[in-house]
Amino acid sequence: MRGVLFAISGGFFLTLQSVANARISSQIGTWQAATLTQFTGFIVALLVMLALRDRTYIEMRHVKPLYLSGGAFAAIILFSNMTAVHKLGVTMTISLFLIAQLALALVIDWRGWFGMVRRNLNGMQLIGVFMMIAGVIILKW
């Protein structure tokens, strides 16, 4: 149940962040807004880590360099998200982001990339993705 609540919370905050970032980027520029967002995110994460007194960050030296690239991905995500919100609106942007996330997640699970356990892909999952795409087409219409 906690996982579901965190997933829903993450979805809410992603949407709120998308709107806030789009508004900020229209005033100061997209890359500037991405920088500001990354910096404030870093500060909040640092404060939470310090408050929790979790010292597992010491183990960062054992993390594979590929996985450390998440921050760079975040910068691209922020830029893409802000640009898309300006061009498509919040609803269409979030819808397309979700479809792209789900499609890639299915491929990652199916292929076992990034050390994930390989999972079989079934027809119902593909139908679900196609139904989401149909939903976006209906939303756009």
Side-chain angles (χ1 to χ4, degrees), residues 45-103:
L46 180 65
L47 291 173
V48 169
M49 182 191 70
L50 292 172
L52 295 176
R53 299 178 187 262
D54 183 353
R55 297 185 48 84
T56 55
Y57 63 86
I58 295 169
E59 297 301 316
M60 279 195 286
R61 64 182 178 265
H62 300 295
V63 176
K64 291 182 181 178
L66 172 65
Y67 302 141
L68 294 174
S69 63
F73 291 151
I76 296 166
I77 292 164
L78 287 168
F79 178 82
S80 300
N81 188 288
M82 286 182 266
T83 304
V85 167
H86 285 297
K87 303 226 180 258
L88 303 173
V90 178
T91 303
M92 191 58 62
T93 297
I94 297 299
S95 298
L96 293 172
F97 261 59
L98 289 174
I99 291 169
Q101 283 180 295
L102 184 60

